[in-house]
Amino acid sequence: MSTPTRVEPVPTPQPSYLSAADAPKKQKKWVWLVGAPVLALALTAPAWNGAAAAADVAQPDIAAPVSTLVVEFSPAKQDITSSQRNAIRSAQQYLDYSAFSRSGLIHQLEYEDFSTADATFAVDSLNVDWNEQAAKSAKQYLEYTSFSRSGLIDQLVYEGFTRAQAEYGANASY
C-alpha cells in the first residue's frame, strides 16, 4: 500500500515582458465584501424585530447620522412605480454608507436586480454632488492604501468617475 501524496499547486509565473505598469488593474473588491454584508444587516435588522424597530423610530433622541451627505429626491415626474421608489430608497442608503460614482451606483442597483431603466431613473432623481463623492472615495482609498496622485486619479476613473471628477477628488484629498 502506498500513501497518496498531496500535490501543492504551483503558482503561475508572471511573464517577464509585463511590467508592473502593464499589469491589469484590480478592482478593490474589499469595499464590496465588507460593505455589502454591513448594509444587508443594517437593512434587515429592523425586520427581525418589528416592535423594537418601531420603538427605535419613536425615540426622539436618536444618535446623529454618521454621514452629512444631503441627498434630495427630485423626481422628473410625480407618477413613479414602486420599483423606481425602491431603487431611489436603495440608492440613498448606498450613498449614506459609501461614496459612489454615478455609473458605479447604477451598476450596484442593477446588481440588486433593479432594471437599468429604474436604476438610472433613481440615480438621476437624486441631487448628488459627484465631485464630492469622488473626494470621499479618494479619502477612503487613502485611508487604507497608498496611491500616487496620478494612480489615485486612474483608480477613481476606473471606478466610474469622470476624469474631471477624479482630479477634483484627488486634489481634495491630497
Side-chain angles (χ1 to χ4, degrees):
M1 274 174 126
S2 66
T3 306
T5 59
R6 185 175 187 153
V7 178
E8 295 293 325
V10 178
T12 307
Q14 178 79 5
S16 61
Y17 59 86
L18 284 179
S19 67
D22 295 333
K25 289 186 180 183
K26 293 183 181 177
Q27 186 176 6
K28 303 271 185 190
K29 299 220 184 246
W30 61 267
V31 173
W32 299 113
L33 293 175
V34 173
V38 170
L39 181 61
L41 285 174
L43 295 176
T44 60
W48 292 338
N49 187 352
D56 288 343
V57 172
Q59 295 177 357
D61 59 343
I62 294 175
V66 175
S67 173
T68 58
L69 174 68
V70 176
V71 179
E72 297 175 11
F73 173 64
S74 61
K77 57 184 181 178
Q78 295 298 322
D79 299 325
I80 63 173
T81 66
S82 60
S83 180
Q84 290 170 331
R85 187 175 13 267
N86 289 336
I88 291 167
R89 187 176 306 126
S90 185
Q92 287 174 329
Q93 291 170 343
Y94 277 118
L95 289 171
D96 287 341
Y97 287 102
S98 186
F100 281 87
S101 66
R102 179 183 178 276
S103 64
L105 185 54
I106 290 171
H107 290 303
Q108 182 61 33
L109 293 172
E110 289 171 336
Y111 180 78
E112 298 294 327
D113 290 330
F114 288 104
S115 70
T116 301
D118 287 347
T120 303
F121 176 85
V123 171
D124 290 344
S125 294
L126 302 176
N127 293 325
V128 180
D129 183 347
W130 299 111
N131 284 333
E132 186 62 30
Q133 290 296 305
K136 285 183 179 183
S137 185
K139 288 176 186 174
Q140 288 172 347
Y141 274 119
L142 291 175
E143 287 176 3
Y144 293 102
T145 189
S146 299
F147 278 97
S148 66
R149 184 180 178 282
S150 64
L152 181 59
I153 291 170
D154 290 342
Q155 183 62 35
L156 292 172
V157 168
Y158 180 79
E159 293 294 326
F161 290 102
T162 65
R163 180 64 118 181
Q165 292 165 350
E167 289 175 359
Y168 179 90
N171 290 338
S173 62
Y174 263 90

